[in-house]
Amino acid sequence: MNMVNVLFKREFAGFFATPVAYVFILIFLMLSGIFTFYIGNFFEREQADLLPFFNFHPWLYLFLVPAMAMRTWSEERKSGTIELLMTLPVTTWQITLAKFLAAWAVLGLSLILTFPLWLTVNYLGQPDNGIILAAYIGSWLMSGAYLAIGICMSALTKSQVIAFILSVVICFLFVLSGSGVVLEAFQGWLPTILVDTIASFSFLTHFESMSKGVLAMNNLMYFLISIGVWLFASLLIIEQKKAD
Amino acid sequence: MKFSNTVTYPLLAVLFFGLVLLSNQLFKSARIDLTENQVYSLSGGSKSILSEIDEPIELYFFFSDKASEGLTTIRNYADRVESLLQEYESASNGKIKLHLIDPEPFSEAEDLANDYGLTAASAGMGMDPIYLGLAGSNALDDEKIIPFFDPSKEQFLEYDLSQLIYELSDPEPVKVGLITGLSLTGGQNPMTGQFDPAWTIYEQIQQLYQLEDVDSSAQSLPEGLDVLLLIHPKGLSDEMLYAIDQFALNGGKILAFVDEHHESDPMAAMSGMAGANSSNINRLISAWGIEVDAEKVLLDAALGLDIRTQTGGITKHLGFVGLQAPGFDDEDVTTANLDSINGASFGVITLLPEATTTITPLLQSSEYAATGSSMAYAMTRDPEQLFGQFDQAQAAQHNLAVRLSGSAPSAFEGKPETAQSAAEHLSQTDKLNVIVVADTDMLTDRFWVNKSNFFGQMIASPFADNGAFVTNAIENLGGNNALISIRSRGTFARPFEKVDELTVKAEARFREQEQALEEQLAQTEQQLAELQTSGGEDGLLVLNEEQQAAIDSFMDKKIQIRKELREVRHQLDKDIESLGAQLKLINIIVAPLILVLAVFFLRRSFRLRGAA
């Protein structure tokens, strides 16, 4: 675990050595502000909650997180540093975990830095801060799931662009599986239990119930399982590529 | 290697699928409700109602999802109702099935909503109607509905839903026993010799519940009563008092209307004697921890009703009290949605020091109420004289109706020898459930309802909520204990108080300025009119230059004032708009830039320190 800690620090510092983290945070903060105020009509609704803010998170992450994750393995492979990394006395899963945690920490930092919005809503009225806390936790967990997919796709290919596109597509499928459009297509010919199962794979449904203020165990578990499974898949891919 | 990979990935996918399904099943009910008032969690009362459901219940939640686009408040509330309903469904162990229906215009679903009798709200001209209601049915095809979920009744949302489910799960009508010393059923009036109709309140109770009249001289209560209704009980035998006492101690619910001076009784009014016509269950009441003082009657200077005097004038009657919203307990389901209750010569309920019960005041007088002697009150013919009895110095708020719960002792040492019941004597209970109201006049028609003959049908149109209060109380007491335990919950709507504050301020300023400007405008117009008419008086059709210049300048002034008025009106929203613009600027541009710079410099200083 100590090794993971060292690698985590290296990765985390790596984000801030280049403009990547700054650009990511800036874009994240500005876009979430624009979405909240202009598309979510935060001010005009006159309701002291942060629903318009959190409602756009699945869509924000859809593009921002793959953009952040695409370089994780692709770059290492392209620049050849992966060989160096593999000769070090660390296991692949330690590296994968460290890379994931570092990027997840940056996402967490970006979320924390949206606190001016929280101050704003507390200035304007008396929001239920419990709901807001639950939504933040939910949002961070969801971003982890996006990230795990992005890292897996990055392991798959040398090209960052392909990694980006693949992860957007897969994340989009996961977002979409709970939306009315998809469910309607399945309704009628699939048994309800299967339709429900498809719906339960959606990031949207799990995130929505959390953004209402309820931390349900199955929602938390869903995101944790997603993260675990996708990280495990990326581990397999790396091992396989190493063997090739 | 190749082979193992073709197996590994599908296996991983299956594992993913399986784990998610497993966690969905395993952790269905494990959750933390982080909301401030636990709005998504069912209270113990609701859960115990759900656990007692035997037959499956179908719930149909109608919400016009498409038609309500853009209506934030109603959508948020619908969302809240839906979440709570889902909570009921998941806590019901499969006994409740929830169906979500969007009744689009001209659809079968809309017809269904109409069949159930749901109410459609209109969002404005040309807009599609909005449904937000619930219909439920049980295995016996009993139907209960909530026609429209009113966001202003949000604190009772859980109570209303649990009540609906309770009624569907236990379709037996509430059985009410009535003991009264008044002739509620009507009959021959000894004064006029005519036949009086039954009291409206009596008819109402008879229609809604299974009512059983119990004779005052009876020695015991009928079996299986849900609620015992005592209206001005007089001259009850010891055996009867004992039966009532044991009924209450056994978990029976009692709604008691007692009065030291029932003035609506013509015989009592004639005798003019206080005490001669008072209720008498004091022995029971004091065991429950309260006292209704026989000597006192409430005089309320703020809430006294205006009545017509014999000479035709109008005067305030301090004894005739019109209770209003601040005097109602807004957290108790029996009183929270009432607007007014009228009554006369209310008694005052005081708490005994040795009381072990929990007492919740339901109806209270204003703070400008004092007590007068009930003897003097009974003798008084002229309401004006009551002002003389009103003692300003002792004005205070008084309890006029209370809910009693918790533990109480029996009013009897042991079973009276003459008592008929074979049951064991109970000396103590910890689940007393009684509502005591210190007035009976409020039940007479003249205080709350007008009756008119409409093509041979008697139509009752209430002008006060006395009837609603009685039915709320019986409904509440007649439900099971779990239902009574569900109290009101916090509300969910949270407006921008800052914006509301700005609106109020802006409106105040706007009104002031507008008034000043309008005065100026009126003056200017008057001057203008004077000038124009004086021009005509000289017989000259053409105004001289001076006059013309004066008129022009007034015209300009008028236009100027009008412009300012428009400006002021525009200013009303300007403060709010500018607040919005500032917040947008801060949140979208200023804060992100500052924060990113802060991160940048923090990191630099970290690195420098690390390098040093």
Side-chain angles (χ1 to χ4, degrees):
Chain A
M1 219 53 206
N2 196 28
M3 214 57 221
V4 176
N5 195 12
V6 173
L7 285 167
F8 167 78
K9 278 184 183 153
R10 167 192 176 260
E11 288 290 329
F12 189 70
F15 273 109
F16 292 93
T18 59
V20 174
Y22 303 107
V23 171
F24 178 84
I25 293 174
L26 189 68
I27 291 182
F28 180 75
L29 294 184
M30 283 188 162
L31 272 186
S32 58
I34 289 170
F35 278 141
T36 308
F37 277 96
Y38 288 99
I39 304 178
N41 285 328
F42 169 74
F43 192 69
E44 289 74 16
R45 297 167 75 233
E46 302 203 353
Q47 284 292 316
D49 56 42
L50 284 181
L51 271 187
F53 169 63
F54 287 112
N55 278 346
F56 290 107
H57 280 197
W59 308 102
L60 263 175
Y61 290 147
L62 184 57
F63 292 97
L64 290 181
V65 176
M68 186 175 174
M70 65 185 183
R71 54 184 280 282
T72 328
W73 286 111
S74 307
E75 207 174 58
E76 301 262 20
R77 184 165 306 138
K78 206 175 158 200
S79 60
T81 47
I82 191 162
E83 256 101 74
L84 181 69
L85 209 57
M86 290 304 167
T87 57
L88 292 175
V90 286
T91 57
T92 317
W93 83 262
Q94 282 173 328
I95 305 172
T96 314
L97 193 64
K99 278 177 179 294
F100 170 76
L101 288 178
W104 207 21
V106 175
L107 285 169
L109 180 67
S110 325
L111 270 179
I112 290 172
L113 291 181
T114 58
F115 72 87
L117 210 59
W118 175 73
L119 291 180
T120 305
V121 78
N122 273 285
Y123 165 75
L124 285 170
Q126 293 181 340
D128 188 334
N129 285 314
I131 295 180
I132 294 177
L133 178 69
Y136 266 116
I137 293 173
S139 178
W140 189 52
L141 279 171
M142 182 172 62
S143 73
Y146 279 94
L147 190 64
I149 294 177
I151 287 177
C152 184
M153 292 303 115
S154 170
L156 207 58
T157 164
K158 242 184 233 181
S159 156
Q160 297 199 10
V161 178
I162 295 178
F164 174 76
I165 292 172
L166 276 178
S167 31
V168 170
V169 169
I170 293 187
C171 291
F172 191 52
L173 286 180
F174 271 93
V175 171
L176 223 57
S177 74
S179 71
V181 192
V182 172
L183 293 183
E184 264 169 39
F186 288 114
Q187 263 159 16
W189 61 278
L190 267 189
T192 327
I193 181 145
L194 281 185
V195 177
D196 283 349
T197 312
I198 293 171
S200 86
F201 273 91
S202 168
F203 290 169
L204 280 184
T205 41
H206 291 285
F207 175 60
E208 261 170 23
S209 54
M210 283 206 248
S211 65
K212 282 176 190 166
V214 180
L215 287 187
M217 196 61 183
N218 61 348
N219 295 326
L220 297 180
M221 283 309 289
Y222 171 75
F223 286 124
L224 291 178
I225 291 170
S226 299
I227 292 171
V229 167
W230 284 100
L231 283 185
F232 186 64
S234 63
L235 192 76
L236 287 181
I237 292 169
I238 294 291
E239 291 286 350
Q240 185 200 348
K241 296 256 168 175
K242 198 161 67 174
D244 280 351
Chain B
M1 200 67 204
K2 277 259 140 46
F3 171 76
S4 81
N5 275 321
T6 48
V7 178
T8 314
Y9 294 113
L11 259 180
L12 195 59
V14 171
L15 181 74
F16 186 26
F17 217 83
L19 280 176
V20 170
L21 270 184
L22 198 69
S23 100
N24 278 352
Q25 296 306 316
L26 277 183
F27 304 120
K28 224 170 191 168
S29 49
R31 28 177 270 161
I32 315 166
D33 187 344
L34 286 180
T35 54
E36 206 174 308
N37 300 306
Q38 307 280 301
V39 288
Y40 294 112
S41 305
L42 296 183
S43 64
S46 294
K47 282 185 185 148
S48 94
I49 288 174
L50 287 175
S51 69
E52 283 164 22
I53 302 177
D54 302 323
E55 302 280 330
I57 291 176
E58 305 276 330
L59 294 181
Y60 302 89
F61 177 56
F62 290 87
F63 174 54
S64 307
D65 195 28
K66 289 208 181 70
S68 65
E69 263 166 23
L71 303 168
T72 317
T73 319
I74 203 95
R75 287 186 74 87
N76 274 354
Y77 190 55
D79 204 38
R80 158 107 168 80
V81 178
E82 193 187 313
S83 302
L84 196 61
L85 283 170
Q86 278 164 349
E87 195 54 42
Y88 276 97
E89 189 188 23
S90 67
S92 72
N93 236 335
K95 284 293 185 332
I96 290 180
K97 260 197 89 74
L98 178 65
H99 307 265
L100 305 176
I101 302 172
D102 180 357
E104 288 177 39
F106 308 110
S107 65
E108 271 180 45
E110 189 183 23
D111 290 344
L112 188 65
N114 284 324
D115 281 348
Y116 277 120
L118 302 187
T119 317
S122 166
M125 283 284 285
M127 301 274 277
D128 290 331
I130 291 170
Y131 290 88
L132 175 56
L134 183 76
S137 66
N138 60 12
L140 300 170
D141 271 343
D142 288 319
E143 280 174 13
K144 294 276 177 221
I145 59 163
I146 295 175
F148 195 87
F149 288 103
D150 182 354
S152 64
K153 267 190 78 183
E154 184 186 358
Q155 43 177 337
F156 295 107
L157 178 64
E158 193 191 355
Y159 182 87
D160 289 344
L161 291 176
S162 291
Q163 190 185 26
L164 181 135
I165 290 167
Y166 175 70
E167 284 172 353
L168 285 173
S169 66
D170 183 26
E172 298 245 323
V174 176
K175 197 170 168 190
V176 179
L178 170 67
I179 301 178
T180 179
L182 301 171
S183 50
L184 299 182
T185 47
Q188 196 169 26
N189 187 327
M191 299 276 289
T192 58
Q194 286 178 337
F195 277 92
D196 286 340
W199 293 17
T200 310
I201 203 92
Y202 182 81
E203 289 174 342
Q204 192 179 307
I205 295 168
Q206 210 174 23
Q207 265 172 26
L208 290 170
Y209 313 104
Q210 192 187 332
L211 182 65
E212 189 157 336
D213 287 302
V214 183
D215 199 80
S216 293
S217 59
Q219 310 265 309
S220 65
L221 289 171
E223 293 286 307
L225 289 184
D226 294 306
V227 179
L228 179 62
L229 180 58
L230 302 172
I231 297 179
H232 204 45
K234 275 191 297 191
L236 301 182
S237 63
D238 268 1
E239 290 78 14
M240 190 53 159
L241 283 174
Y242 179 71
I244 298 172
D245 176 76
Q246 292 296 303
F247 176 73
L249 262 51
N250 269 308
K253 288 96 174 180
I254 297 179
L255 171 60
F257 290 85
V258 295
D259 206 336
E260 296 313 325
H261 176 63
H262 177 78
E263 61 192 79
S264 303
D265 185 337
M267 291 302 280
M270 254 177 58
S271 74
M273 283 291 287
N277 193 33
S278 66
S279 310
N280 193 0
I281 51 166
N282 291 342
R283 183 170 182 177
L284 297 177
I285 284 180
S286 55
W288 298 335
I290 55 167
E291 183 188 30
V292 185
D293 196 329
E295 317 268 277
K296 286 179 184 163
V297 62
L298 182 94
L299 302 174
D300 195 317
L303 298 175
L305 292 171
D306 288 334
I307 61 159
R308 202 164 281 282
T309 58
Q310 280 170 340
T311 52
I314 287 180
T315 182
K316 188 178 272 225
H317 192 307
L318 295 183
F320 287 14
V321 181
L323 299 173
Q324 279 167 0
F328 302 148
D329 181 358
D330 59 4
E331 290 190 356
D332 195 289
V333 73
T334 50
T335 46
N337 291 298
L338 306 180
D339 291 322
S340 68
I341 285 187
N342 297 332
S345 56
F346 277 95
V348 170
I349 299 173
T350 46
L351 188 55
L352 292 175
E354 67 271 20
T356 51
T357 45
T358 310
I359 295 180
T360 322
L362 296 180
L363 303 179
Q364 289 183 307
S365 70
S366 78
E367 286 158 24
Y368 308 100
T371 49
S373 143
S374 54
M375 181 79 87
Y377 179 87
M379 307 291 272
T380 308
R381 285 286 165 273
D382 181 5
E384 303 258 356
Q385 288 175 5
L386 290 174
F387 287 99
Q389 296 172 24
F390 185 78
D391 181 4
Q392 189 87 46
Q394 50 141 334
Q397 195 165 34
H398 293 282
N399 295 332
L400 309 178
V402 293
R403 181 195 284 279
L404 303 162
S405 54
S407 59
S410 168
F412 290 80
E413 297 278 298
K415 191 192 285 191
E417 279 164 23
T418 46
Q420 293 169 346
S421 99
E424 283 276 306
H425 171 75
L426 274 180
S427 57
Q428 181 80 24
T429 181
D430 55 0
K431 49 180 187 202
L432 186 77
N433 238 317
V434 175
I435 293 177
V436 176
V437 186
D439 185 39
T440 53
D441 298 291
M442 64 180 283
L443 301 174
T444 56
D445 288 6
R446 65 173 180 148
F447 280 105
W448 70 281
V449 64
N450 276 325
K451 277 186 147 179
S452 50
N453 195 329
F454 185 76
F455 293 109
Q457 284 231 338
M458 283 308 257
I459 303 286
S461 42
F463 52 85
D465 296 322
N466 301 20
F469 171 63
V470 176
T471 44
N472 282 351
I474 295 178
E475 202 106 314
N476 178 245
L477 293 172
N480 70 6
N481 278 324
L483 195 59
I484 297 170
S485 76
I486 304 170
R487 292 300 174 88
S488 66
R489 304 286 288 272
T491 53
F492 185 70
R494 291 160 187 271
F496 280 170
E497 284 152 15
K498 206 79 202 170
V499 172
D500 295 345
E501 210 176 280
L502 278 179
T503 315
V504 171
K505 266 191 206 159
E507 264 171 4
R509 206 178 50 216
F510 163 70
R511 223 173 289 126
E512 234 169 66
Q513 276 188 12
E514 191 189 36
Q515 259 174 3
L517 282 173
E518 265 171 358
E519 250 166 54
Q520 272 187 40
L521 188 67
Q523 272 176 14
T524 315
E525 272 173 348
Q526 198 189 343
Q527 282 165 334
L528 203 59
E530 272 171 21
L531 262 179
Q532 278 167 335
T533 48
S534 69
E537 271 169 16
D538 296 345
L540 295 170
L541 283 174
V542 185
L543 300 163
N544 64 31
E545 263 177 43
E546 254 174 68
Q547 281 172 317
Q548 187 60 50
I551 287 177
D552 284 349
S553 84
F554 274 127
M555 279 291 210
D556 285 345
K557 199 172 165 191
K558 190 172 147 183
I559 291 167
Q560 184 61 33
I561 293 172
R562 278 176 178 283
K563 205 173 143 192
E564 276 173 40
L565 253 177
R566 266 203 307 277
E567 191 64 25
V568 169
R569 272 175 206 164
H570 181 64
Q571 282 283 338
L572 188 63
D573 296 328
K574 220 175 161 188
D575 285 346
I576 295 171
E577 277 166 23
S578 74
L579 176 69
Q582 274 173 23
L583 290 176
K584 279 175 196 168
L585 184 74
I586 291 173
N587 278 295
I588 296 172
I589 310 226
V590 181
L593 283 176
I594 291 178
L595 289 173
V596 168
L597 280 177
V599 171
F600 179 72
F601 284 113
L602 264 179
R603 135 122 189 124
R604 260 182 59 136
S605 68
F606 264 121
R607 210 174 36 184
L608 287 179
R609 227 185 301 157

